[in-house]
């Protein structure tokens, strides 16, 4: 809807009128947005296919699939919110008009908190990774993940369980790194 508007909205450029969509920052934003949304879709399709297989077999999903579902919820909603926010910043007064879709952005915020609050899911993702780290299980080859787990483990060993809350930024950074790894595993070409 927005791209259709900006494709048809003429704006002044040094070389004469051109569609708003041709303004470099908006053109670049559309390219990145399409890439990110396609990446989310590819990731979710891969996860959905695996979940469908479990449902057909009436099998319990693996921990890996459960983690991927949590990551899908977090990354799907966060990517949609981010893309819409950036787009709203670039299309001018169109974003303030009714029936443009932008008035529905609060719905995305509701999605963030419904069916598992994204921040709580990220806490779970980080907590699960820390449990694996503490048990010396395979934690992936991602050095950043290992570094962040080590940082949290050191903080908790010297300051106790309260360090988890004190190190909240590290917790969310760890969850983000895990999310990126999970997306990369399920949809290697996705760029979110």
């Amino acid at each position: 809807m927005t791209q259709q508007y900006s494709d048809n909205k003429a704006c002044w450029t040094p070389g004469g009128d051109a569609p708003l969509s041709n303004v470099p920052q908006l053109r670049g934003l559309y390219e990145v947005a399409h890439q990110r949304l396609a990446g989310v879709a590819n990731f979710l399709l891969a996860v959905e296919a695996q979940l469908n297989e479990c449902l057909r077999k009436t099998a319990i999903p693996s921990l890996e699939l459960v983690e991927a579902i949590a990551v899908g919820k977090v990354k799907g909603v966060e990517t949609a919110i981010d893309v819409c926010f950036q787009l709203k910043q670039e299309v001018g007064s169109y974003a303030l008009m009714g029936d443009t879709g932008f008035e529905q952005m609060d719905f995305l915020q509701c999605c963030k908190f419904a069916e598992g609050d994204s921040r709580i899911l990220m806490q779970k993702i980080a907590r699960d990774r820390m449990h694996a780290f503490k048990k010396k299980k395979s934690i992936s080859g991602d050095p950043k993940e290992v570094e962040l787990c080590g940082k949290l483990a050191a903080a908790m060993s010297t300051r106790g369980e309260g360090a988890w809350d004190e190190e909240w930024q590290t917790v969310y950074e760890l969850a983000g790194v895990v999310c990126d790894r999970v997306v990369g595993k399920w949809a290697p070409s996705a760029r979110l």
Side-chain angles (χ1 to χ4, degrees), residues 7-52:
D7 285 347
N8 293 305
K9 173 73 174 167
C11 69
W12 179 89
T13 67
D17 285 353
L20 180 60
S21 293
N22 287 358
V23 172
Q25 67 270 23
L26 190 53
R27 184 176 59 239
L29 177 56
Y30 282 137
E31 290 169 10
V32 170
H34 288 301
Q35 181 184 46
R36 291 179 69 197
L37 294 172
V40 167
N42 290 338
F43 170 68
L44 293 175
L45 286 171
V47 173
E48 181 183 27
Q50 188 67 41
L51 179 59
N52 285 341

Side-chain angles (χ1 to χ4, degrees), residues 12-148:
W12 179 89
T13 67
D17 285 353
L20 180 60
S21 293
N22 287 358
V23 172
Q25 67 270 23
L26 190 53
R27 184 176 59 239
L29 177 56
Y30 282 137
E31 290 169 10
V32 170
H34 288 301
Q35 181 184 46
R36 291 179 69 197
L37 294 172
V40 167
N42 290 338
F43 170 68
L44 293 175
L45 286 171
V47 173
E48 181 183 27
Q50 188 67 41
L51 179 59
N52 285 341
E53 190 64 30
C54 286
L55 294 172
R56 278 196 270 306
K57 294 178 179 177
T58 63
I60 296 174
S62 66
L63 292 178
E64 184 180 76
L65 178 56
V66 171
E67 180 178 58
I69 292 168
V71 169
K73 194 275 186 182
V74 169
K75 294 301 274 187
V77 172
E78 293 296 332
T79 301
I81 288 171
D82 186 50
V83 165
C84 287
F85 178 78
Q86 288 183 42
L87 191 56
K88 186 176 183 178
Q89 302 307 302
E90 297 299 336
V91 294
S93 62
Y94 176 76
L96 302 174
M97 296 180 196
D99 297 324
T100 61
F102 287 104
E103 70 278 4
Q104 302 298 321
M105 283 181 63
D106 285 343
F107 176 75
L108 292 174
Q109 289 299 131
C110 292
C111 292
K112 183 174 183 169
F113 303 114
E115 301 300 325
D117 183 306
S118 293
R119 288 295 186 169
I120 301 301
L121 286 173
M122 290 179 76
Q123 288 268 341
K124 178 197 179 309
I125 290 165
R127 183 200 68 209
D128 290 350
R129 189 54 56 222
M130 282 299 297
H131 283 299
F133 179 79
K134 287 178 183 177
K135 290 181 179 181
K136 304 290 187 222
K137 289 184 179 175
S138 172
I139 189 161
S140 89
D142 189 310
K144 186 67 176 174
E145 234 176 279
V146 174
E147 173 192 332
L148 293 169

